[in-house]
Amino acid sequence: MRKLISGFSKLTKDEKITWLIENYLQDQSEAENVIKQYWNHQQDLQELHDGFIENTISNFYMPFGIAPNFIINGDAFVIPMVIEESSVVAAASLVGKFWSTRGGFKTTVLGTTKIGQVHFMYAGSQTEIEAYFNKIKTDLFAATASITKNMEKRGGGILDIKLVDKTEKLANYYQLHVTFETKDSMGANFINSCLEAIAKKFETAEIEIVMSILSNSVPECLVRAEVSCKIEELGGENPQKFAEKFYQAVKIATIEPYRAVTHNKGIMNGIDAVVLATGNDFRAVEAGAHSYASRSGEYTSLSHCEIKDGIFKFWIEVPLAIGTVGGLTALHPMAKLSLEMLQNPSANMLMQIIAAAGLAQNFAALRALTTKGIQHGHMKMHLQNILNQFEANDEEKESVTTYFNKKTVTHSAVVAKIQSLRKPKTN
Ligand code: MEV
């Protein structure tokens, strides 16, 4: 069995790397080169990143791209995107440009309320717990005063605290269901600190607190983004046919969960990329979006389409708990730059930008799927990855790219072409 270790966190970074290499990696000098390549020449940056998490030994770089030409509520935006998948940024850029000449994206924030819960067990009578809650409710607000003071100055704070009886589902189980407004911050730390202060005040010999934690289900922290135009403005050979097939594709995702998951994954390609670029928590956003997509009891599409009176309309409604202050937003230099290129938006504005990016990505995927097929664009981009993997030089890259201009790109066909170029010429 491979070795376990205690006190690992107390080792220096070099000691951690040495231990890792000696016990878990094969080629020691290769591993050391890979690990250290990112921090040898960027000591300051690495030190900054070391502080974000524990046991840092290196960095994991992801491509940072930008998608220009997004018009959102009449204003132009360049959208920063962090993503490893070929063609996502290219698709966003194409779609941004496409809608920029058709009225752009229209976005609205539908709500900003977030939720946290104190989960507790109580075996006594329901009337008694209700009476106790009503008596102590004002004190629960007061118990958070030192935490909520600054948030209240910014217009946020605790909106309400409710007692919820869950004993029908689980014996003795109750909750304090707390609603929050966290303004420009994502608010996770604020919410959790408030909940813990509330729980401490609420606890008695009969009330056993199980846990206090925010919910990543945020159905009331919701944003909508929409595009629309006359069908004939959609362009292409047969815009009516295009609109109808597109509409069918959205309907399929509405009623078929297997398709809905992939459909929404395409939306998350756009959403996560901006969430990451702005230093936000993409796992929270993912969890919230998918729980929203299944709120009816069956998993369904986050986007919707309508064709009425000659107008094509496509829109999305998605919950987004994000922030533009706090967390990594100012600490991570690239997140800071992302926010700067977005004109330092409020959290509300960033929600709208992210929703537009998600809708754009969904439009691009459905347009490709219902016309040329998804592999066409994907493989064209993937071609460059294969060329890089084979360390193709500029001449080889040009020759292979030209060769595949009108041919179907497959991994094996590209490899065969590279090999044929590299074969010594015989005559
Ligand atoms: C791939 O990352 C995303 C798509 O599968 C989305 C979709 O099918 O709608 C292309």
Side-chain angles (χ1 to χ4, degrees):
M1 190 164 122
R2 282 181 289 272
K3 265 195 180 170
L4 301 180
I5 182 170
S6 54
F8 183 71
S9 64
K10 308 233 162 39
L11 300 182
T12 65
K13 200 197 289 185
D14 270 317
E15 286 166 345
K16 284 180 184 131
I17 293 170
T18 307
W19 178 86
L20 172 74
I21 291 175
E22 280 172 2
N23 293 290
Y24 283 81
L25 295 166
Q26 305 284 326
D27 184 335
Q28 303 215 345
S29 68
E30 168 67 11
E32 187 155 349
N33 284 342
V34 173
I35 290 168
K36 290 190 175 174
Q37 67 185 321
Y38 294 119
W39 54 275
N40 270 344
H41 59 288
Q42 282 282 12
Q43 200 65 29
D44 291 356
L45 197 56
Q46 183 60 51
E47 273 167 20
L48 178 75
H49 284 212
D50 288 353
F52 293 163
I53 61 165
E54 304 76 28
N55 296 346
T56 326
I57 56 165
S58 185
N59 243 305
F60 189 99
Y61 282 26
M62 293 265 280
F64 180 100
I66 54 169
N69 299 322
F70 268 76
I71 303 284
I72 302 175
N73 296 340
D75 267 343
F77 287 90
V78 170
I79 302 194
M81 301 180 90
V82 170
I83 188 149
E84 85 300 345
E85 184 175 328
S86 307
S87 79
V88 167
V89 179
S93 305
L94 282 176
V95 172
K97 184 97 182 276
F98 179 88
W99 284 106
S100 71
T101 55
R102 291 163 179 83
F105 292 79
K106 310 264 171 6
T107 58
T108 344
V109 170
L110 302 174
T112 54
T113 306
K114 289 165 187 157
I115 292 161
Q117 297 168 319
V118 176
H119 305 269
F120 67 94
M121 296 295 171
Y122 172 74
S125 89
Q126 199 206 19
T127 342
E128 269 175 37
I129 188 75
E130 267 171 20
Y132 171 66
F133 171 70
N134 289 331
K135 191 166 118 264
I136 203 172
K137 190 169 171 181
T138 321
D139 297 342
L140 298 180
F141 277 96
T144 64
S146 62
I147 311 164
T148 53
K149 199 166 145 220
N150 280 337
M151 187 61 86
E152 279 167 6
K153 275 193 204 139
R154 287 160 39 206
I158 300 176
L159 304 177
D160 197 12
I161 309 177
K162 282 196 166 70
L163 173 72
V164 184
D165 180 346
K166 288 275 178 178
T167 51
E168 266 188 24
K169 295 216 161 163
L170 181 64
N172 304 336
Y173 170 40
Y174 291 82
Q175 306 166 346
L176 294 179
H177 186 89
V178 190
T179 43
F180 296 88
E181 168 57 58
T182 63
K183 301 309 276 184
D184 283 335
S185 66
M186 191 256 188
N189 280 331
F190 169 73
I191 293 176
N192 290 335
S193 301
C194 288
L195 292 171
E196 286 183 8
I198 290 171
K200 202 163 157 216
K201 185 80 199 165
F202 191 66
E203 193 169 27
T204 65
E206 285 81 39
I207 292 172
E208 190 193 11
I209 306 292
V210 179
M211 58 190 162
S212 310
I213 187 74
L214 92 173
S215 172
N216 289 124
S217 174
V218 281
E220 276 153 33
C221 186
L222 199 62
V223 57
R224 178 191 158 100
E226 179 187 306
V227 286
S228 68
C229 69
K230 288 187 186 142
I231 290 182
E232 66 260 29
E233 287 169 2
L234 285 168
E237 274 170 25
N238 188 342
Q240 181 68 34
K241 183 81 199 146
F242 169 75
E244 282 164 15
K245 269 185 95 175
F246 193 101
Y247 173 83
Q248 294 296 1
V250 178
K251 279 285 158 220
I252 291 169
T254 309
I255 55 114
E256 164 54 51
Y258 276 99
R259 172 58 202 150
V261 172
T262 320
H263 177 97
N264 289 346
K265 188 273 181 184
I267 293 172
M268 301 316 285
N269 277 345
I271 290 184
D272 282 345
V274 191
V275 170
L276 261 172
T278 54
N280 273 288
D281 181 344
F282 63 93
R283 288 86 55 212
V285 167
E286 280 279 341
H290 297 297
S291 85
Y292 189 73
S294 40
R295 69 197 181 284
S296 70
E298 181 161 277
Y299 191 92
T300 186
S301 168
L302 288 167
S303 65
H304 312 276
C305 184
E306 183 188 270
I307 300 176
K308 204 168 149 200
D309 304 330
I311 304 285
F312 169 88
K313 194 157 99 181
F314 181 47
W315 72 99
I316 186 173
E317 258 181 40
V318 63
L320 289 173
I322 49 90
T324 53
V325 298
L328 279 199
T329 53
L331 277 179
H332 194 297
M334 295 309 289
K336 202 166 165 220
L337 186 82
S338 294
L339 290 168
E340 197 183 326
M341 76 177 76
L342 292 171
Q343 313 305 307
N344 292 319
S346 62
N348 276 14
M349 191 60 225
L350 185 58
M351 284 169 79
Q352 298 174 70
I353 295 166
I354 296 173
L359 188 69
Q361 214 60 51
N362 194 209
F363 183 82
L366 296 183
R367 182 166 67 171
L369 286 165
T370 56
T371 55
K372 290 178 180 170
I374 203 71
Q375 285 311 87
H376 181 82
H378 249 161
M379 293 311 283
K380 281 260 137 73
M381 290 295 292
H382 192 50
L383 172 62
Q384 299 308 318
N385 286 342
I386 304 171
L387 287 167
N388 287 338
Q389 193 188 331
F390 277 80
E391 294 177 359
N393 60 32
D394 288 350
E395 205 180 315
E396 287 172 329
K397 278 186 181 166
E398 204 186 313
S399 166
V400 177
T401 311
T402 314
Y403 177 80
F404 280 102
N405 248 346
K406 291 213 163 67
K407 288 196 171 57
T408 310
V409 177
T410 64
H411 190 272
S412 53
V414 177
V415 175
K417 183 67 192 162
I418 298 172
Q419 280 165 351
S420 82
L421 287 177
R422 290 179 179 178
K423 239 206 301 232
K425 301 268 177 301
T426 49
N427 42 17

